[in-house]
Amino acid sequence: NSDTGDNAGGTAGDDKIVLGFSQVGAESGWRTANTTSVKEAATEAGIELKFDDAQQKQENQIRAIRNFIQQKVDVIAFSPVVESGWDTVLKEAKDAQIPVILTDRAVDSADKTLYKTFLGSDFVKEGRLSAEWLIEETKSATGPVNIVELQGTTGSAPANDRKKGFAEAIAANPNLKIIASQSGDFTRAGGKAVMEQFLKANPKIDVLFAHNDDMGLGALEAITAAGKVPGKDIKIITIDAVKDGMQALADGKFNFIAECSPLLGPQLMDLAKKVHAGEEVPARIETEETTFTQQTAKEALPTRKY
Ligand code: GYE
């Protein structure tokens, strides 16, 4: 529709919006569900999607964004693997007058005009909700409760924020102690390897707080191999609530999950249309989420979509 004052750019003809999307990678069940959501929603919305998988490397994401700029896409969206180091490439997009949408993860750029909006979860809250469950669960504990923490990708918004939310919430309870904390990079293999080390180094572990389901699922193998019963000897708290995590919770191997929804596709397409049309959008759009116990996981599982 060249006569409606449409923005310039785009490579798919007159009225199809072209969206360049730089995905973090395929590190977890959450990420796979997120990718599916974005792809399906683009088709549904009639948006041409240029999809790039950065394999969890910032340099790949920067390269992808530069390619999108060169191809003159209409809108760029990306899920930044880490929080820092984006100012230069975001400035390039701005100079090319291509609006940018942050999905899922935030950047720490001081200049908020470098992107139009940030669509995603409140990760600090997820950490806090995880801690609040634990505080309630252990309120009658007499001795120290030893916690080990599997952090997400170092420098990523969800790892930074979940750690922060959890630590702040347990701070007033001297009983609750994080005795070891390390990154498992949001992957099953990482969760398993780091949990093996934790178990070797610490004879008494009461609780595992894993920043996502996948690391918790990897840790299950290490815990079982060490002759301990997950969900009983070691209580397990995770974040995401993807299918395999929910199954582990329903089976009594996990104890609590704070949900983080990967189904951002439809909202992202809606935002892409709006920013492309030059409409104002809210600077921050938060995903709605809940939490699950073993009982509520059993109830929710049959109708879970991912
Ligand atoms: O929790 C984790 C994934 O950024 C919210 O990334 C996302 C996180 C999610 O690898 O499983």
Side-chain angles (χ1 to χ4, degrees):
N1 256 336
S2 49
D3 55 356
T4 55
D6 222 351
N7 290 356
T11 53
D14 274 345
D15 46 17
K16 222 178 184 195
I17 296 173
V18 179
L19 172 67
F21 182 76
S22 165
Q23 179 60 290
V24 169
E27 75 282 3
S28 65
W30 191 100
R31 190 64 54 197
T32 313
N34 180 246
T35 293
T36 304
S37 173
V38 169
K39 288 185 174 169
E40 285 179 358
T43 308
E44 183 83 5
I47 288 179
E48 183 185 327
L49 184 69
K50 292 189 181 294
F51 182 91
D52 185 87
D53 175 341
Q55 312 201 325
Q56 282 195 287
K57 291 203 177 70
Q58 181 172 35
E59 70 220 59
N60 292 346
Q61 284 200 298
I62 292 174
R63 197 178 312 124
I65 293 168
R66 291 206 165 116
N67 280 338
F68 294 149
I69 296 171
Q70 231 171 25
Q71 295 169 48
K72 296 188 165 56
V73 300
D74 296 308
V75 181
I76 292 172
F78 78 116
S79 175
V81 58
V82 292
E83 285 192 278
S84 309
W86 300 102
D87 289 34
T88 306
V89 72
L90 289 178
K91 181 91 188 356
E92 290 166 20
K94 193 180 173 188
D95 290 345
Q97 292 178 298
I98 301 174
V100 173
I101 299 170
L102 304 179
T103 76
D104 158 38
R105 296 184 182 178
V107 300
D108 65 3
S109 303
D111 181 357
K112 307 290 178 217
T113 70
L114 293 176
Y115 53 91
K116 296 289 179 202
T117 181
F118 165 38
L119 164 68
S121 308
D122 182 343
F123 302 132
V124 177
K125 184 171 157 197
E126 293 164 354
R128 193 182 63 236
L129 292 172
S130 303
E132 282 169 358
W133 177 83
L134 183 63
I135 291 166
E136 180 61 25
E137 177 74 12
T138 55
K139 63 172 187 254
S140 49
T142 45
V145 175
N146 288 345
I147 305 164
V148 295
E149 180 180 33
L150 282 168
Q151 297 176 35
T153 301
T154 305
S156 70
N160 292 342
D161 293 354
R162 288 169 182 168
K163 182 171 182 36
K164 180 167 177 257
F166 188 85
E168 282 174 358
I170 63 164
N173 291 61
N175 252 5
L176 302 179
K177 267 202 252 155
I178 299 175
I179 57 164
S181 180
Q182 219 176 288
S183 173
D185 213 13
F186 278 134
T187 64
R188 282 191 198 203
K192 182 176 180 215
V194 177
M195 192 69 202
E196 278 165 3
Q197 294 171 31
F198 284 167
L199 286 159
K200 263 187 212 137
N202 305 281
K204 183 180 178 287
I205 297 174
D206 302 303
V207 176
L208 164 64
F209 170 45
H211 288 188
N212 77 345
D213 289 343
D214 280 84
M215 291 190 295
L217 291 163
L220 282 183
E221 296 175 40
I223 293 169
T224 312
K228 307 213 178 209
V229 183
K232 301 225 157 55
D233 297 336
I234 300 180
K235 298 263 160 70
I236 302 178
I237 303 166
T238 68
I239 296 175
D240 277 354
V242 295
K243 195 127 270 127
D244 292 351
M246 290 288 276
Q247 190 64 57
L249 185 58
D251 293 344
K253 294 174 184 163
F254 285 180
N255 301 82
F256 183 81
I257 302 181
E259 185 188 36
C260 178
S261 175
L263 306 180
L264 304 177
Q267 273 172 297
L268 174 59
M269 298 313 144
D270 196 46
L271 287 166
K273 286 181 179 171
K274 286 188 171 142
V275 298
H276 179 60
E279 283 175 40
E280 283 297 314
V281 294
R284 172 78 172 102
I285 298 166
E286 242 179 67
T287 323
E288 271 181 41
E289 284 151 354
T290 182
T291 61
F292 293 99
T293 60
Q294 292 175 341
Q295 186 52 41
T296 57
K298 270 186 211 142
E299 291 156 15
L301 251 181
T303 55
R304 280 303 265 185
K305 296 256 173 338
Y306 58 92

